[in-house]
Amino acid sequence: MKWNSHILHAALCAALCFFGVSVSAQEPGRPDMLSQAEQEADRLQRLLDLDDWQVFYVDSTLKHNYPAMLAELEELSSAKVSNSSMYLAIQDKWMGKTDSAYMKLFTEEQWRAYLKSGAAKAQKARAKRAEKAGK
């Protein structure tokens, strides 16, 4: 496995671990994004007591964002980019988009519970990386 593939895999695993999903493979080395999106939507439904319509939108958001993030990560990998901060920036971008969508979908109580479940810590880490990159 080449260095870029290791970075891509590490960034993808970190993103998926943030969402609380396991990295099960559809092909060797390729996570099954649609299945993971469904698992994460189910996890959030249990954690936040989401309504059916909210689960639908969470699932739809993830089924769009996961593959889009992976496509951008693969672009960097195929361009043989070895700067890990670029991979993290893409991951942060898509996690931010996901959180933004969640904020619109969740009630205030659900949003607070989501933040307490680890999302607030991840948001702070993303903000810190963004600030560091901006300097």
Side-chain angles (χ1 to χ4, degrees), residues 33-42 44 50 52-67 98 102 105-106:
M33 294 296 191
L34 300 182
S35 168
Q36 291 171 347
E38 291 169 3
Q39 290 173 11
E40 177 61 4
D42 291 344
L44 288 174
L50 299 178
D52 290 341
W53 70 268
Q54 290 173 304
V55 176
F56 172 80
Y57 282 109
V58 166
D59 183 68
S60 297
T61 298
L62 294 175
K63 284 181 177 177
H64 172 266
N65 289 1
Y66 281 176
T98 299
Y102 287 174
L105 295 173
F106 297 164

Side-chain angles (χ1 to χ4, degrees), residues 52-123:
D52 290 341
W53 70 268
Q54 290 173 304
V55 176
F56 172 80
Y57 282 109
V58 166
D59 183 68
S60 297
T61 298
L62 294 175
K63 284 181 177 177
H64 172 266
N65 289 1
Y66 281 176
M69 179 179 66
L70 181 61
E72 285 191 38
L73 291 171
E74 285 178 341
E75 275 183 41
L76 285 183
S77 181
S78 65
K80 304 201 184 308
V81 173
S82 61
N83 183 345
S84 61
S85 64
M86 292 180 74
Y87 289 87
L88 281 173
I90 289 172
Q91 176 184 321
D92 288 349
K93 171 184 133 181
W94 286 102
M95 286 182 179
K97 286 183 179 214
T98 299
D99 279 353
S100 179
Y102 287 174
M103 186 184 286
K104 294 173 188 173
L105 295 173
F106 297 164
T107 65
E108 288 182 33
E109 182 181 319
Q110 290 168 332
W111 180 249
R112 282 192 301 273
Y114 173 69
L115 291 175
K116 286 181 183 179
S117 74
K121 186 176 180 179
Q123 287 177 348

